[in-house]
Amino acid sequence: MIKLTTPLHKDDINNLKVGDSVLLSGTIFTARDAVHKYLLENPQELPKGIDLTGAVIFHAGPNAKKVNDKWVITAIGPTTSARMSAYEPDFIKRFGVRAIIGKGGMDKNTKESLKNNGAAYFSAIGGAAALLAQSVVQVKNVFFLERFAMTEAMWELEVKDFPVIVTMDRHGKSVHDDVKKKSGKEYERLIGE
Amino acid sequence: MEITKHIIELYKKVATTLPSDVKAALSKAYENKEESTTAINTLSAINKNIELAENESKAICQDTGTPYFFVKYPIALSQLEVKKQIIEATKIASKEIPLRPNSVETLRGKTESDNVGVGIPVFYLEEWEKHDLQIQLILKGGGSENMGRTYSLPDTTLGAGRDIHGVRKCIIDAVFQAQGKACPPGILGIAVGSPKDAVARLAKEQLLRKLDDRNPVRELDRFEKDITAELNTLGIGPAGLGGKTTILGAKIAFMHRHPACYFVEIAYSCWATRRGTLTINEVGEVVYD
């Protein structure tokens, strides 16, 4: 088990390979379709004091509630990352992001971007949201809540030992490609019958 | 009839506790099917999550889904009244449980805070001859909903004709295309026939069936078992990271069709298939299943 703390550095990422289990601690930012599109079109709108250099972006829309005026995450887990493939290569480059957490993997342009910018893609287990919420220590901030609402807002979360698996590394390897290739062979066999 | 509080309770149960047949299938998959460390760890985390959510009454998944209500009501009970109370219960449950605000006004993009909107919740209401009121709820996640497919046969790309062999190819294609995006190991609801909206509904209704039930049509009962076994040779596995458990079960129904049409509708439901039934009999006794 590898333990990493944000912000992530080039060496942290270089040493990772697909299949590694990682426990992440520090700060992670959620961003889905809306935030990706908005910040790429309006980079000056990145909230003041927020630096995404070395940051971890989490494709997730939490279930949260306010307890005594403080936000508490009741459930959080990854959404399908493929929807963000249209933005991610530029987003990684533009903001210096070092890692993405999501589910299902991303396209070949993102894979190239991970390679060129020294970043990695982590898978968290989709649906295991009560369990993952246990690794969220606190909500540090929430941005664009008015504009995009709870699911699509940008949540700044402090996490401790948040469990992920490296499924796309910066060396061009992808578990998703491997599974697709292998299942593709079996698919051809079944369809051909 | 006052049913609002029972519907809130149904929401709570469905959002936090998986049906026992789905739980059993997932723990069986963990105990004796997988070989790779990733698949074993993934199933272990899934099972831990289920236990935690149930014990602490927390939502199993942050996406508490789109609510589907399948209602069978006795003669002389007002359908309007049932709908009204379900909508009221949805608003309260959204705050209390909580449910994630999942109803977005599509044209302007505004998110409603209470999971109510045009066409949301989804209602399928039917009068029946029994004296019970039966309300079945599915909370259907959006990630798996995106990976559902409609095929129109014949499909020359797949080499799928208008028979059960063609249907089989469509199902294999849909699960292959979905890879890890729909949170496998999933459950499939499949319907064949026409028109389109009718097969879409019938496919969703198949998701209400328990994994261990039997299809009343003998050849379809056989088909359900065979197609599940075949899909599990694809190797997509838990979370799509490789493994032997890709599908927990497949449920299929055929309906009549227009001579020109032949649709195969596949509803993909993630491993967190959340469904439940509330029955209120004529003396007011309430049973949850």
Side-chain angles (χ1 to χ4, degrees):
Chain A
M1 193 69 77
I2 299 162
K3 290 201 172 206
L4 290 176
T5 304
T6 65
L8 301 181
H9 301 286
K10 220 170 188 156
D11 283 347
D12 296 330
I13 300 299
N14 282 341
N15 293 332
L16 294 177
K17 51 185 196 313
V18 291
D20 286 345
S21 290
V22 176
L23 294 175
L24 272 176
S25 296
T27 303
I28 61 178
F29 295 89
T30 72
R32 295 170 48 119
D33 315 56
V35 165
H36 276 83
K37 182 171 187 289
Y38 184 72
L39 285 182
L40 275 181
E41 287 170 1
N42 310 280
Q44 74 284 0
E45 295 294 319
L46 186 71
K48 287 206 175 20
I50 297 298
D51 183 1
L52 295 181
T53 312
V56 177
I57 294 292
F58 187 12
H59 297 154
N63 194 345
K65 67 174 175 189
K66 262 198 168 160
V67 179
N68 301 331
D69 246 24
K70 272 195 76 129
W71 282 106
V72 175
I73 302 294
T74 57
I76 191 164
T79 192
T80 309
S81 296
R83 296 201 312 274
M84 271 60 77
S85 284
Y87 314 107
E88 211 68 88
D90 292 341
F91 199 89
I92 291 168
K93 196 172 169 204
R94 175 72 183 73
F95 295 105
V97 168
R98 280 266 177 253
I100 307 289
I101 308 172
K103 75 170 189 207
M106 301 187 76
D107 71 353
K108 61 173 191 301
N109 293 334
T110 308
K111 199 166 78 175
E112 273 304 299
S113 182
L114 296 176
K115 222 164 141 179
N116 297 337
N117 297 290
Y121 176 87
F122 303 151
S123 285
I125 297 167
L131 193 66
L132 291 174
Q134 287 196 321
S135 299
V136 178
V137 180
Q138 62 156 332
V139 175
K140 292 172 82 172
N141 233 320
V142 53
F143 306 104
F144 313 123
L145 186 61
E146 286 279 295
R147 183 182 284 269
F148 298 131
M150 184 191 291
T151 307
E152 294 281 342
M154 187 182 197
W155 295 80
E156 183 185 1
L157 308 172
E158 186 189 335
V159 295
K160 173 104 178 76
D161 294 336
F162 191 92
V164 295
I165 306 163
V166 180
T167 57
M168 293 168 77
D169 63 25
R170 79 146 304 187
H171 313 290
K173 286 257 189 230
S174 160
V175 173
H176 311 283
D177 287 357
D178 293 349
V179 171
K180 187 150 194 192
K181 206 169 149 195
K182 215 175 136 208
S183 60
K185 274 190 197 149
E186 181 62 7
Y187 169 80
E188 293 299 338
R189 186 185 76 78
L190 292 172
I191 290 283
E193 264 179 19
Chain B
M1 198 194 294
E2 163 55 41
I3 56 168
T4 309
K5 65 169 193 271
H6 304 307
I7 296 163
I8 297 168
E9 188 58 28
L10 181 65
Y11 262 116
K12 221 168 267 175
K13 286 184 191 299
V14 173
T16 61
T17 310
L18 276 200
S20 51
D21 58 308
V22 181
K23 276 197 287 196
L26 285 165
S27 57
K28 200 173 135 204
Y30 172 65
E31 277 155 24
N32 50 25
K33 291 221 182 99
E34 296 295 346
E35 282 159 12
S36 89
T37 320
T38 304
I40 292 167
N41 290 346
T42 302
L43 284 169
S44 160
I46 285 173
N47 285 310
K48 256 187 230 157
N49 183 72
I50 293 167
E51 207 185 315
L52 179 71
E54 185 170 340
N55 291 344
E56 299 191 4
S57 286
K58 282 183 173 161
I60 295 162
C61 178
Q62 79 288 343
D63 178 5
T64 45
T66 293
Y68 277 74
F69 282 93
F70 302 85
V71 179
K72 302 247 172 58
Y73 57 94
I75 296 164
L77 182 69
S78 160
Q79 194 189 104
L80 280 176
E81 187 53 38
V82 172
K83 264 180 105 167
K84 211 171 93 185
Q85 292 198 48
I86 287 177
I87 288 171
E88 184 56 26
T90 302
K91 292 178 179 177
I92 298 169
S94 295
K95 264 200 213 110
E96 277 187 5
I97 297 175
L99 303 173
R100 195 176 70 176
N102 273 353
S103 174
V104 181
E105 204 261 80
T106 305
L107 180 62
R108 295 183 187 86
K110 179 183 165 263
T111 301
E112 313 293 350
S113 62
D114 56 9
N115 282 296
V116 172
V118 178
I120 310 283
V122 181
F123 285 103
Y124 292 130
L125 302 110
E126 243 179 286
E127 194 171 86
W128 66 353
E129 285 179 352
K130 292 186 188 175
H131 298 292
D132 302 343
L133 168 64
Q134 186 196 63
I135 298 177
Q136 293 184 288
L137 169 63
I138 291 180
L139 292 175
K140 181 69 176 67
S144 62
E145 186 63 13
N146 277 339
M147 301 322 289
R149 287 290 175 270
T150 311
Y151 296 85
S152 176
L153 297 188
D155 183 310
T156 46
T157 322
L158 291 176
R162 292 183 156 187
D163 54 29
I164 191 87
H165 306 293
V167 172
R168 169 186 165 274
K169 288 188 181 183
C170 297
I171 300 166
I172 293 166
D173 186 61
V175 172
F176 172 69
Q177 301 300 343
Q179 291 286 313
K181 297 184 184 79
C183 288
I187 297 171
L188 304 179
I190 307 149
V192 184
S194 86
K196 265 186 195 165
D197 51 339
V199 288
R201 171 179 178 167
L202 188 59
K204 284 277 160 38
E205 279 173 356
Q206 301 315 300
L207 294 177
L208 290 168
R209 290 174 49 197
K210 296 197 171 166
L211 283 171
D212 49 7
D213 80 349
R214 303 294 299 263
N215 195 308
V217 183
R218 205 167 49 147
E219 63 259 50
L220 295 184
D221 191 56
R222 178 86 240 166
F223 180 81
E224 287 177 353
K225 289 191 178 64
D226 291 348
I227 192 74
T228 302
E230 281 195 303
L231 292 167
N232 284 328
T233 67
L234 282 171
I236 294 167
L241 301 176
K244 295 179 173 176
T245 322
T246 302
I247 291 295
L248 298 174
K251 301 290 170 185
I252 188 165
F254 278 61
M255 65 180 288
H256 283 57
R257 62 182 175 87
H258 185 281
C261 307
Y262 196 115
F263 295 113
V264 180
E265 170 78 19
I266 296 154
Y268 198 126
S269 187
C270 55
W271 65 257
T273 291
R274 285 152 288 170
R275 56 167 142 79
T277 302
L278 157 68
T279 311
I280 305 175
N281 71 12
E282 54 191 321
V283 293
E285 284 167 343
V286 180
V287 178
Y288 297 97
D289 181 27

